[in-house]
């Protein structure tokens, strides 16, 4: 869905945002990008200044969040939900939304689990562990009662 290299990946986000701001028609994935960007107004500067942000590093150890990765994880979650893969994720998402009372918060909790699973995949050089991922999402409710 997205290019593998960092600059092209980021350009996809920047181009979608520019098209939306100009009132141009958007492809479906671009519409998703814009929807997610609007949920994160703090990222607008990153989307409107390509010269500064196409090559920029966002070191975690310096406490920086990579806005492009963050938005990409949102899109990954939306894609998983659209096809219910891994199987059962849609039901877990609905439960998490009911528990938190907020779709965006539910996605953020799921994204933490996805990021952890991807980190383990890289670290351990094993296939992605769907069962561990779904178990993490179950725990992401944190015992909160539905609102």
């Amino acid at each position: 869905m997205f290019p593998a290299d960092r600059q092209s990946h980021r350009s996809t986000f920047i181009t979608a945002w520019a098209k939306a701001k100009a009132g141009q028609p958007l492809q479906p994935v671009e519409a998703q990008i814009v929807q997610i960007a609007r949920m994160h107004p703090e990222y607008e500067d990153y989307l409107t200044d390509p010269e500064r942000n196409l090559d920029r590093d966002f070191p975690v150890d310096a406490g920086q969040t990579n806005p492009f990765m963050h938005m990409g994880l949102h899109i990954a979650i939306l894609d998983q939900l659209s096809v219910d893969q891994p199987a059962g994720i849609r039901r877990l998402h609905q439960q998490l939304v009911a528990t938190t009372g907020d779709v965006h918060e539910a996605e953020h909790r799921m994204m933490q689990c996805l990021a952890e699973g991807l980190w383990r995949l890289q670290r351990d050089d094993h296939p992605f562990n769907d069962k561990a991922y779904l178990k993490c999402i179950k725990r992401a409710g944190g015992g909160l009662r539905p609102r």
Side-chain angles (χ1 to χ4, degrees), residues 33-142:
I33 289 169
V34 170
Q35 174 189 357
I36 291 163
R38 287 186 175 136
M39 292 188 304
H40 292 283
E42 69 274 19
Y43 294 161
E44 185 168 359
D45 288 345
Y46 299 107
L47 296 168
T48 57
D49 190 355
E51 290 78 29
R52 189 170 145 228
N53 294 302
L54 281 176
D55 286 322
R56 182 174 175 182
D57 290 323
F58 298 92
V60 175
D61 56 346
Q64 294 185 14
T65 298
N66 182 329
F68 300 100
M69 178 180 286
H70 183 92
M71 290 185 288
L73 288 172
H74 268 291
I75 290 172
I77 295 294
L78 293 176
D79 285 346
Q80 290 175 340
L81 294 173
S82 73
V83 294
D84 196 30
Q85 286 296 321
I89 195 167
R90 192 179 294 147
R91 180 182 48 78
L92 290 175
H93 173 259
Q94 291 167 346
Q95 291 171 350
L96 196 52
V97 169
T99 299
T100 63
D102 183 347
V103 172
H104 196 203
E105 173 62 23
E107 286 180 16
H108 279 187
R109 291 183 186 199
M110 294 172 71
M111 288 164 49
Q112 288 175 338
C113 294
L114 180 57
E116 179 182 323
L118 293 171
W119 176 78
R120 289 183 189 281
L121 176 134
Q122 266 190 316
R123 182 195 69 184
D124 300 338
D125 195 29
H126 292 290
F128 189 82
N129 187 333
D130 287 348
K131 288 181 182 179
Y133 175 48
L134 295 173
K135 188 174 182 179
C136 179
I137 293 171
K138 285 179 189 176
R139 288 192 316 264

